[in-house]
Amino acid sequence: MRCTLAAAPLGARAAAEPPVVLVLGDSLSAEYGIARGAGWVALLDRKLSAEKIAARVVNASISGDTTSGGRARLPALLRTHRPAVVVIALGGNDALRGLPLDMTQANLAAMAQAAGQAGAKVLLAGMQVPPNYGGDYGRRFAAVFPKVARAQQAALVPFLLKGVADRPDAAALFQADRIHPTAEAHPAILANVWPELRKLLR
């Protein structure tokens, strides 16, 4: 999804063209199982327009992607789109596949560093795993995201699915696979991202 929003320029980089917000994510950002235009990235596009913030949203999310996949894809995306902000929303599939936490952490750090070196601000979207993964693993996995954010001086959304996965009636906001949120949940996902992203777009 690429959409240019006609509004007042934002910062020096927007003098010639609107700044790009690049979203690098997995199925949670790629509208898996829901109608096109119903996901939180599409809602972000409309939110920027409503707020009269000139920005072009590029959704580079791929269902099933891992931090390794994102790390491999990011250099070309940075060259092509020259984003002002990169939202990294990866890591959930690493946990689902049982990949080593140190690898996930290294990949997230490398992506944040590469984006920063390309002149982009970075927003890292944290994830958590269900309780059946075990309390110790869950705590260590959740801790990866703030650790990387601190080390790379990136902005952080502590839990992308806050207000969705942690609700008493959470099952009602997930598709039959109990992994992917329904369209009704995506406004809450955007509500988690927006406050931190808005700061980066000032």
Side-chain angles (χ1 to χ4, degrees):
M1 178 189 68
R2 302 179 187 179
C3 183
T4 302
L5 306 174
L10 174 67
R13 294 184 62 167
E17 60 184 42
V20 169
V21 177
L22 174 67
V23 180
L24 184 63
D26 51 29
S27 56
L28 299 181
S29 305
E31 299 184 326
Y32 179 90
I34 61 176
R36 299 288 78 85
W40 75 266
V41 181
L43 298 178
L44 168 63
D45 184 37
R46 296 198 284 273
K47 178 72 171 175
L48 290 167
S49 182
E51 296 284 336
K52 294 182 169 54
I53 297 174
R56 185 163 65 91
V57 179
V58 174
N59 192 354
S61 302
I62 297 178
S63 292
D65 206 7
T66 61
T67 58
S68 294
R71 181 177 181 176
R73 294 192 295 120
L74 183 57
L77 291 169
L78 293 173
R79 289 192 299 270
T80 300
H81 301 291
R82 295 182 297 170
V85 178
V86 176
V87 181
I88 301 172
L90 290 166
N93 287 314
D94 291 41
L96 291 176
R97 298 181 185 188
L99 300 178
L101 289 177
D102 58 350
M103 183 179 74
T104 298
Q105 182 172 325
N107 287 335
L108 291 171
M111 285 187 280
Q113 186 174 43
Q117 290 174 344
K121 298 176 182 177
V122 177
L123 176 57
L124 187 61
M127 282 301 298
Q128 296 179 16
V129 295
N132 60 296
Y133 279 70
D136 180 63
Y137 179 84
R139 285 188 293 273
R140 290 190 294 118
F141 178 78
V144 163
F145 299 91
K147 188 180 299 183
V148 172
R150 285 192 300 270
Q152 300 299 323
Q153 297 183 322
L156 176 69
V157 175
F159 183 28
L160 186 63
L161 296 182
K162 181 180 179 182
V164 178
D166 55 359
R167 285 174 45 157
D169 60 343
L173 294 175
F174 281 84
Q175 299 174 42
D177 61 10
R178 298 187 180 183
I179 295 174
H180 298 97
T182 62
E184 289 74 19
H186 280 260
I189 298 174
L190 176 60
N192 294 330
V193 174
W194 177 248
E196 295 303 322
L197 179 59
R198 180 67 182 87
K199 295 174 188 176
L200 300 182
L201 289 171
R202 287 176 180 169

